Amino acid sequence: MSGDWAGVVGAGGVFLFLIVVAWQIAATWRARMLAAREEQYKQLAAKYAALLEDNVELHRRTLEELTQARISIVSMEKMMRSIE
């Protein structure tokens, strides 16, 4: 009878150990996946920041060109009014 209990306790211990090992493997895998996802978010944020900087520069240049065009048009209007 003592041998039966020892076998049951031993088998239960082995199963408990396997469950703990499987649980830890799953937790480690989950943590790695979350870390990889966080790294992807960081890369996406960096890419967004670079695109935003490019967009701001493009907007600045467009405004600069528009200002120059307005100055040129005003100058031409003054010249045409002075000719009349």
Side-chain angles (χ1 to χ4, degrees):
M1 196 73 150
S2 174
D4 290 339
W5 281 107
V8 169
V9 170
V14 168
F15 284 126
L16 183 62
F17 176 74
L18 290 176
I19 289 170
V20 169
V21 167
W23 190 272
Q24 289 301 317
I25 289 172
T28 302
W29 177 77
R30 237 185 344 262
R32 285 184 183 166
M33 294 303 290
L34 289 174
R37 185 180 303 157
E38 185 176 338
E39 183 62 33
Q40 288 175 342
Y41 284 142
K42 285 180 183 178
Q43 290 173 354
L44 187 62
K47 187 176 183 180
Y48 175 75
L51 289 173
L52 185 60
E53 287 177 13
D54 291 346
N55 193 23
V56 167
E57 177 61 23
L58 182 62
H59 182 67
R60 185 194 62 76
R61 280 190 280 160
T62 303
L63 286 177
E64 199 173 275
E65 289 174 5
L66 183 59
T67 301
Q68 291 298 324
R70 283 183 182 165
I71 291 170
S72 178
I73 290 172
V74 167
S75 172
M76 287 173 63
E77 285 178 345
K78 284 181 182 178
M79 181 183 70
M80 295 196 60
R81 284 187 184 137
S82 69
I83 292 175
E84 291 176 356

